[in-house]
Amino acid sequence: MYLHNIFTRTHSLCKCHFVRKISAQITERKFDNRKYQYDLLVIGGGSGGLACAKETALLGRKVAVLDYVDPSARGTTWGLGGTCVNVGCIPKKLYHQAALLGKAIKDSKSYGWNFDESKIIHDWGTLKDAILGHVRSLNWGHRVQLKQKNVDYFNAKGSFITRNEVEILHKTGKKENFSAENIVIAVGGRPKYPDIPGALEYGITSDDVFSLEKPPGKTLVVGGSYVALECAGFLTGLGFDTTVMVRSICLRGFDQQMATLIANHMANDGTKFLHGCIPLKIEKAADLLTVKWESKDKQLHEDTFNTVLFAIGREAYTKNLGLEKIGVEFHPDSRKIVGQNEQTSVPNIYAIGDVLLGKPELTPVAIKAGRLLSHRLFGGSTQEMDYENVATTVFTPLEYGCVGLSEEEAIHRFGDNQIEVYHAFYKPLEFSLPQKDASQCYIKAIVSKTNKKIVGLHFLGPSAGEVIQGYSTALRCGFTLEHLQQTVGIHPTCAEEIVKLNITKASGLDPTVTGC
Ligand code: FAD
Ligand code: NA7
């Protein structure tokens, strides 16, 4: 009856205004006798936290989001939006683009552009300021969106007092307590430092590299992670003498044939690699950093660098959240939260994004999980997050996009003789005039022999992210080898080489594509 009255009173309004008004009235009514200040409190205003908070507000609930950035060891700090916006995907992709443009300038000579190459210089300060300017506009955009959607935002650090109460520490040092019926932990992670002398004092991480006041100069990147390779790739591309120190393998967790091709391409592109090495010590004299390290054969080595960047993985930022106090279960080493369907071991507390154990650490994953959780909590939905077949791209100088299983994982899951690998080495047409080396441009599709379904697709080449995105939909729809081979390509593109795959690894035939 109450709803009916509201409907009849507001019949002349447009539909969306109408729905908003109704939900506001319902919410107001609910708030009158609410037990807690908020229906939902989100700790962490990054990709996942913001998405979950905004979606919940759209569903008419009272929401608050807390976001606070502890300065990095070098004192770097940033605005609202979390890792992706400030010190991850966004600045990374823009630095990558800057490096690609540098190469395109050189390539353009073979397309008839005429200029004096010795006059081409790159200005780090101009690029850094432009990127930080863009990032600040995104920070502002997030604040505006929260305001427009009626989400209460606090630039403050949260920690648990009880399962329904969070202490808020404002920047000014002021403390207050908020209560909420449901709490989402979306605090993400921060880069790790190795426990060696000088690392914390002199080293930087991805938290600092994008906003360095001075150009990084000769740089040592420690780690074989995707963050390490991406940073080394763009630093090399911008003209810095760059070395990557890899302890064991590159890109653990990714397809290892693709990882090797990526590292080979980077080495040909000018990045130096120290394989099987671990850093022991960093010392500083004048403005130079002397790094001592040990190689696999136990030999000691040293060299000097202007910058040492550690990209040795990330740890969940849960140390000061008070999880122990309220009984939220977490992994003892990574401090990541253990959860099933984003539900932690405490019924009204949830976790999304990078902080969740065993899930892909990617922005769209955090966003989707946050939105779906909101709809399950407040929208009557039962839809769960599906973490399978999430496509991703490594933005190394030659980009790598993939979806589904690596060859190693496929063999592990189905057995060596239960999969067929279709592959091809191809030459992007754009590489022809500058006569660029295409020996790492490679594609492979991993097919289950049982049902002919494609269980993994890997593409190494220009614009890999753009090429591979649609295939994650295809894999979700039960994509088979037959579907692939029936597809007509777009000519002349690199992507068409995927639908032309017809040579299996097992055949031993040369997989190099010749002609159209
Ligand atoms: P975050 O975005 O990390 O947000 C967590 C927020 O919570 C932060 O602002 C943090 O300061 C805040 N916080 C922490 N503790 C508290 C507290 N107690 N109180 C209040 N606030 C707190 N992903 C991609 O999809 N594509 C890419 O190309 C890509 N590139 C990347 C490149 C780099 C260099 C890095 C480091 C990451 C990259 N990622 C990429 C990963 C992506 O950034 C993360 O997966 C994503 O940001 C995770 O979102 P989140 O919401 O879980 O956490
Ligand atoms: P990862 O994948 O955890 O990679 C960490 C890298 O750093 C890896 O190459 C490690 O080598 C190396 N590492 C770790 N500790 C050290 C020390 N102490 N010294 C030298 N090298 C070290 O980190 P990312 O953040 O890139 O990736 C996170 C996730 O995103 C990952 O799950 C991917 O699937 C995607 P190791 O291989 O252990 O020898």
Side-chain angles (χ1 to χ4, degrees):
M1 186 60 195
Y2 178 75
L3 268 181
H4 174 77
N5 288 342
I6 300 171
F7 269 91
T8 43
R9 259 188 280 134
T10 47
H11 72 278
S12 58
L13 297 170
C14 76
K15 199 178 165 198
C16 66
H17 185 114
F18 177 66
V19 171
R20 242 184 274 131
K21 188 159 178 181
I22 291 173
S23 59
Q25 292 191 25
I26 294 169
T27 315
E28 262 166 39
R29 201 162 53 105
K30 217 175 159 308
F31 290 172
D32 290 343
N33 42 18
R34 69 169 61 253
K35 194 169 159 200
Y36 304 103
Q37 284 161 284
Y38 290 100
D39 293 314
L40 179 72
L41 179 70
V42 180
I43 309 178
S47 312
L50 289 177
C52 186
K54 287 187 284 187
E55 204 69 14
T56 304
L58 284 176
L59 291 168
R61 297 307 183 116
K62 191 159 165 60
V63 194
V65 61
L66 315 176
D67 190 57
Y68 184 84
V69 180
D70 279 317
S72 74
R74 298 278 69 73
T76 313
T77 183
W78 50 87
L80 177 64
T83 304
C84 174
V85 168
N86 295 281
V87 287
C89 335
I90 300 296
K92 177 276 299 288
K93 178 90 188 281
L94 292 172
Y95 275 98
H96 169 66
Q97 175 65 9
L100 291 183
L101 285 172
K103 288 205 185 75
I105 294 172
K106 290 186 185 128
D107 290 353
S108 72
K109 275 207 150 178
S110 56
Y111 287 88
W113 296 99
N114 211 344
F115 49 84
D116 180 354
E117 249 187 81
S118 67
K119 295 225 166 89
I120 296 174
I121 49 156
H122 181 264
D123 185 55
W124 173 268
T126 305
L127 175 63
K128 186 257 304 168
D129 288 344
I131 291 177
L132 292 189
H134 178 67
V135 167
R136 276 191 287 271
S137 76
L138 298 177
N139 298 145
W140 177 246
H142 281 306
R143 287 184 88 120
V144 171
Q145 279 189 32
L146 291 180
K147 193 140 197 75
Q148 283 171 342
K149 295 194 162 94
N150 287 325
V151 175
D152 290 348
Y153 160 63
F154 300 92
N155 183 198
K157 197 167 170 174
S159 58
F160 285 97
I161 304 169
T162 68
R163 294 173 177 199
N164 293 100
E165 270 181 301
V166 170
E167 181 188 89
I168 317 289
L169 173 63
H170 291 271
K171 252 189 159 170
T172 53
K174 185 184 137 201
K175 285 183 185 172
E176 59 185 315
N177 296 350
F178 285 164
S179 66
E181 189 170 359
N182 300 284
I183 298 173
V184 168
I185 304 170
V187 294
R190 293 292 287 266
K192 290 195 281 196
Y193 272 92
D195 188 14
I196 57 165
L200 206 56
E201 291 90 329
Y202 308 124
I204 66 164
T205 68
S206 55
D207 281 355
D208 312 292
V209 69
F210 305 116
S211 56
L212 290 177
E213 278 305 322
K214 283 200 305 190
K218 182 179 171 188
T219 302
L220 175 68
V221 179
V222 181
S225 66
Y226 85 88
V227 173
L229 298 192
E230 289 181 340
C231 290
F234 75 68
L235 290 174
T236 304
L238 295 177
F240 300 106
D241 178 344
T242 308
T243 304
V244 185
M245 185 181 286
V246 185
R247 178 167 73 177
S248 55
I249 54 169
C250 285
L251 296 178
R252 184 177 296 285
F254 288 92
D255 187 286
Q256 281 303 297
Q257 184 191 9
M258 306 308 282
T260 305
L261 288 168
I262 292 169
N264 289 347
H265 179 269
M266 287 181 68
N268 292 347
D269 194 48
T271 306
K272 296 170 194 157
F273 279 86
L274 293 166
H275 286 285
C277 296
I278 47 164
L280 300 175
K281 194 180 199 174
I282 307 179
E283 286 162 347
K284 188 170 181 177
D287 249 3
L288 281 182
L289 301 174
T290 301
V291 181
K292 298 196 164 109
W293 73 87
E294 189 181 75
S295 48
K296 238 190 313 204
D297 54 7
K298 300 283 171 212
Q299 294 295 305
L300 296 179
H301 310 260
E302 71 169 61
D303 197 357
T304 53
F305 299 90
N306 301 106
T307 301
V308 177
L309 191 163
F310 290 104
I312 60 165
R314 298 170 64 79
E315 63 190 356
Y317 207 55
T318 53
K319 221 171 241 161
N320 303 314
L321 273 181
L323 298 182
E324 295 88 343
K325 200 159 49 183
I326 53 160
V328 169
E329 203 184 320
F330 59 88
H331 188 274
D333 299 329
S334 67
R335 295 199 60 92
K336 285 194 174 203
I337 294 173
V338 180
Q340 183 72 29
N341 292 332
E342 297 80 41
Q343 162 87 69
T344 72
S345 50
V346 175
N348 69 311
I349 300 178
Y350 303 85
I352 52 171
D354 284 9
V355 79
L356 204 49
L357 184 68
K359 305 292 188 270
E361 293 177 19
L362 294 167
T363 274
V365 170
I367 293 174
K368 185 130 217 132
R371 288 194 180 139
L372 291 175
L373 174 64
S374 168
H375 280 271
R376 289 201 306 279
L377 288 178
F378 305 107
S381 162
T382 52
Q383 197 186 342
E384 294 172 1
M385 174 70 191
D386 181 358
Y387 291 94
E388 292 280 304
N389 292 328
V390 172
T392 189
T393 291
V394 179
F395 292 95
T396 35
L398 193 63
E399 295 173 9
Y400 166 44
C402 60
V403 57
L405 304 179
S406 64
E407 198 171 334
E408 292 83 359
E409 280 172 323
I411 291 171
H412 178 73
R413 254 194 226 188
F414 304 113
D416 202 358
N417 51 6
Q418 287 310 308
I419 60 156
E420 192 80 85
V421 177
Y422 286 77
H423 67 159
F425 280 101
Y426 69 101
K427 181 162 188 161
L429 178 63
E430 298 81 347
F431 282 27
S432 310
L433 302 193
Q435 295 186 6
K436 280 167 61 158
D437 179 23
S439 43
Q440 283 86 26
C441 291
Y442 181 69
I443 302 167
K444 70 175 169 185
I446 302 160
V447 183
S448 155
K449 277 188 185 169
T450 330
N451 53 15
K452 298 284 176 210
K453 282 205 172 148
I454 294 182
V455 295
L457 189 61
H458 303 262
F459 176 92
L460 192 46
S463 305
E466 314 300 337
V467 170
I468 218 74
Q469 175 68 85
Y471 285 103
S472 58
T473 309
L475 257 68
R476 292 191 162 271
C477 298
F479 188 38
T480 63
L481 181 65
E482 198 185 348
H483 292 137
L484 181 82
Q485 292 181 333
Q486 279 177 356
T487 305
V488 178
I490 303 170
H491 190 64
T493 63
C494 297
E496 74 176 313
E497 303 303 341
I498 296 183
V499 300
K500 283 159 59 184
L501 287 173
N502 67 352
I503 292 175
T504 65
K505 258 194 185 177
S507 73
L509 293 170
D510 180 2
T512 308
V513 176
T514 47
C516 288

